Amino acid sequence: MGEQDANYRFADEATIEPDHISKARAYALEIGAAPISPAVGAQCAVIAASSRALNIVEIGTGAGVSGLWLLHGSPRATLTTIDSEPEHLGAARQSFADAKVPPARVRFITGRAMEVLPRMNEASYDIVLVDADPDGVIDYVEHGLRLVRAGGTVLIPRVLNRGAVADPVRRDAVTASYRSLIHETQASAAVIGALSIVGEGLLQLTTTPPD
């Protein structure tokens, strides 16, 4: 095992996941809704905590793992989570109930994100997490940047696409989209971006506050 691989493994194993999130992870794996890694979840929780997020949108519910991590970081926040798969939303409802999250703090929306997002109020959210169909990641991120307030944050996990993004030989559409997203946001004056390589990768974009 190389030094870099050892670092990845250590970071993942050093993250202690709360029991209620571990239970949600088991639900996710059971229904085939791949959850974010504990290391990425912990980073999302830190960002939610440091920003004192009160209004969060999640594109891609899964079984509730990422949503629970965000609420772990910001216990007073309200989460709106969007998914087109009723089975995923059903598992997530159970995960939030098992975690004793008050129903008033989570709003579940069943539907295609590209149909739901245009109807949501712009500049109204502290965090938008994008963890949906990778084919539409650039469009989802554009919507996310529209929805967050000035100084708000858009989080995109899995952005390294299992190592494919770093491999110049890989030129499939999904890898190219992630690669383009990283390069374009790093060069943009409209956002402050940071790429974490822990776990499956996490791209963090904070909109530039007005002068």
Side-chain angles (χ1 to χ4, degrees), residues 114-203:
M114 291 307 296
E115 296 173 0
V116 174
L117 294 171
R119 303 197 298 268
M120 301 182 73
N121 294 330
E122 62 181 63
S124 299
Y125 300 91
D126 302 302
I127 293 174
V128 175
L129 184 137
V130 177
D131 189 19
D133 179 7
D135 289 325
V137 65
I138 291 178
D139 290 333
Y140 295 141
V141 170
E142 288 178 353
H143 276 291
L145 291 171
R146 179 183 65 83
L147 294 178
V148 292
R149 59 172 173 76
T153 301
V154 177
L155 301 172
I156 309 99
R158 310 182 204 276
V159 75
L160 297 177
N161 197 25
R162 300 180 179 179
V165 168
D167 182 354
V169 175
R170 291 288 299 271
R171 298 181 181 274
D172 59 276
V174 169
T175 300
S177 291
Y178 279 129
R179 195 179 286 135
S180 176
L181 176 65
I182 293 168
H183 288 320
E184 289 181 13
T185 53
Q186 289 294 307
S188 173
V191 297
I192 299 169
L195 175 61
S196 168
I197 60 173
V198 170
E200 62 274 29
L202 179 68
L203 182 61

Side-chain angles (χ1 to χ4, degrees), residues 15-25 38 41-42 45 68-69 72-73 99:
T15 302
I16 299 175
E17 191 164 61
D19 289 343
H20 65 279
I21 302 182
S22 292
K23 188 172 182 180
R25 182 176 300 281
L68 286 171
W69 268 115
H72 179 66

Side-chain angles (χ1 to χ4, degrees), residues 4 8 14 18 32 36 41 43 60 64 78 90 92 99 109 112 118 122 127 162 171-172 199 205 208:
Q4 194 170 44
Y8 292 155
I36 61 173
Q43 289 192 3
T78 298
I109 298 179
R112 293 173 55 85
E122 62 181 63
I127 293 174
R162 300 180 179 179
R171 298 181 181 274
D172 59 276
L205 305 175
T208 306

